[in-house]
Amino acid sequence: MASISFYVGLYHLLIYFRRRQHREDLTFALMCLATSFYEVCCAGLYSATSVAEGAQWQRMQFIALGFFTTAFLWFVSDYTHQKPKEQSMLFPRFTCWLFSSR
């Protein structure tokens, strides 16, 4: 599943480079790539042989969920052609702050 999500993400990224006025292709590509990253982390967690190794994979899963949620919010905003309100941008800002504080 991760490879299919990755392929679809790259495909829509290439579409965006050809038609830059359609930003929803870019945000959909980012959402697919974030999904692919999450699925790779899931596979790593399932194949973990120790608790310590599993904890690292689960931490990566949480990071991937942050990326996916941010990309999903951007995609829905672009697809519906609505400007994001200040409240809807709180989670992406919190996610960026969380990753930059480490």
Side-chain angles (χ1 to χ4, degrees):
M1 291 303 291
S3 60
I4 293 171
S5 297
F6 185 75
Y7 172 77
V8 171
L10 284 181
Y11 179 74
H12 277 273
L13 196 60
L14 292 174
I15 290 174
Y16 170 73
F17 287 138
R18 292 184 61 110
R19 304 181 317 170
R20 290 189 187 260
Q21 68 271 17
H22 296 281
R23 188 169 168 216
E24 60 270 5
D25 289 321
L26 174 65
T27 53
F28 184 73
L30 292 175
M31 188 178 69
C32 287
L33 294 174
T35 303
S36 177
F37 177 52
Y38 176 76
E39 290 168 351
V40 167
C41 293
C42 285
L45 179 60
Y46 294 149
S47 65
T49 58
S50 68
V51 174
E53 184 183 357
Q56 289 296 328
W57 281 110
Q58 193 166 28
R59 181 175 182 270
M60 294 294 286
Q61 266 187 324
F62 291 143
I63 291 170
L65 279 175
F67 286 141
F68 170 77
T69 306
T70 302
F72 180 73
L73 289 173
W74 285 341
F75 171 68
V76 169
S77 173
D78 286 340
Y79 191 73
T80 58
H81 301 290
Q82 293 187 5
K83 294 281 184 187
K85 295 180 182 169
E86 187 66 31
Q87 295 87 0
S88 66
M89 294 304 291
L90 287 177
F91 184 77
R93 287 182 183 157
F94 175 73
T95 304
C96 291
W97 173 79
L98 189 65
F99 293 133
S100 65
S101 66
R102 204 142 215 286

